Amino acid sequence: MTLEFDTRFDPAYGQAVTVAPDVQRVTARNPSPFTFHGTNSYLVGRETLAVIDPGPDDDEHLATLVAAIGGRPVSHIFVSHTHRDHSPLAARLKQHTGATVLAEGPHRPARPLRIGEVNPLDASADLGFVPDVALADGSLTHGDGWAIRTVLTPGHTANHAAFALEGTGMLFSADHVMAWSTSIVAPPDGAMADYMKSLDRLIERGDRTIKDMVAAIYRDTDPRLHGAAGLSVLAHLEDLVARGLVATEGDPAIDGIFTPAA
């Protein structure tokens, strides 16, 4: 099966873009073959904010984030992993906002170096990063009107984490899953066995019944329309099953359990 990625994307450098209620994206101007159009930072919340992945140590990006924050308090800065396009700005943003920095932990390789081996990725690692709070798998961090659950997803790096915005179905997957490319897993920083296990963990988190999908997709729709919405979702799933992209036991049905095809 060939996977096709939609690479259409407007980075909108220098401004914040609303991607969901109380969620804004700010894209750093650091495009490259490894970063696509640039690293995406996210602002979560309305009154008191969380920042997810502050990004590279870049004056323009810091200024754009500060402008998007607009004087509102920032209580938490979440860091998905310690590559230099994701974590270095955390220190300066913390100094500006007084926020607590949270991550799985400092940078480390997924395995020890072998005799004579040199880590070719050392230059891309933020080796000085140390979070204020080390996040455990499944830990729930409460903010002002939002809650973020940590989902540890080692593989791309040993300390990679994704962040789920509770009650929305949104997961900030950072470099673990990307729309424009497959993730790079490069030993000794990363490990393919860890990466595949982490993918399985995310699949297990996915909605598998139409009822659950409707609750997430149509959460802002009048509940009286959820029955019709369920039939629309069923129609999409029937098409996906016919194309071999989704599997279900027996014929697709409104009360069936749907999973990604093997």
Side-chain angles (χ1 to χ4, degrees):
M1 179 175 64
T2 300
L3 296 179
E4 297 181 359
F5 296 102
D6 184 355
T7 58
R8 295 171 295 178
F9 180 81
D10 179 8
Y13 298 127
Q15 59 184 297
V17 177
T18 298
V19 296
D22 298 333
V23 178
Q24 292 182 300
R25 185 197 77 232
V26 177
T27 303
R29 199 189 300 267
N30 63 332
S32 78
F34 293 99
T35 60
F36 194 38
H37 288 296
T39 304
N40 291 320
S41 302
Y42 293 92
L43 307 181
V44 176
R46 183 175 302 174
E47 302 296 335
T48 299
L49 307 179
V51 175
I52 296 177
D53 275 354
D57 188 2
D58 176 85
D59 291 343
E60 179 187 358
H61 191 54
L62 176 61
T64 303
L65 285 173
V66 170
I69 290 166
R72 291 173 290 179
V74 176
S75 58
H76 299 77
I77 299 170
F78 293 86
V79 174
S80 66
H81 65 295
T82 44
H83 280 157
R84 287 190 174 274
D85 56 326
H86 284 260
S87 60
L89 197 60
R92 293 174 66 189
L93 190 61
K94 174 185 176 178
Q95 185 177 26
H96 182 84
T97 63
T100 299
V101 178
L102 307 92
E104 189 272 354
H107 193 83
R108 65 183 186 279
R111 61 162 174 79
L113 289 175
R114 300 186 176 113
I115 295 176
E117 184 179 21
V118 175
N119 187 347
L121 298 178
D122 264 354
S124 66
D126 184 6
L127 299 177
F129 175 85
V130 178
D132 299 318
V133 175
L135 293 169
D137 187 43
S139 61
L140 188 62
T141 304
H142 290 275
D144 181 11
W146 53 262
I148 291 176
R149 188 173 300 277
T150 299
V151 183
L152 296 187
T153 50
H156 176 68
T157 60
N159 65 352
H160 197 288
F163 301 111
L165 185 57
E166 292 284 285
T168 69
M170 294 183 64
L171 180 86
F172 299 88
S173 59
D175 282 359
H176 183 62
V177 178
M178 300 179 288
W180 64 279
S181 174
T182 55
S183 182
I184 294 174
V185 179
D189 269 19
M192 186 57 70
D194 291 342
Y195 182 75
M196 299 306 291
K197 290 178 183 176
S198 296
L199 286 179
D200 288 340
R201 290 204 64 210
L202 295 194
I203 290 173
E204 290 170 1
R205 290 179 56 85
D207 298 323
R208 300 188 182 206
T209 67
I210 289 177
K211 179 181 178 182
D212 291 338
M213 294 177 201
V214 168
I217 298 169
Y218 297 95
R219 58 184 175 273
D220 296 323
T221 301
D222 188 331
R224 292 174 295 181
L225 298 175
H226 281 194
L231 293 174
S232 179
V233 173
L234 175 61
H236 281 290
L237 289 169
E238 285 180 338
D239 174 61
L240 292 172
V241 169
R243 289 192 281 149
L245 299 176
V246 169
T248 184
E249 294 183 6
D251 293 330
I254 198 74
D255 58 352
I257 296 177
F258 298 86
T259 56

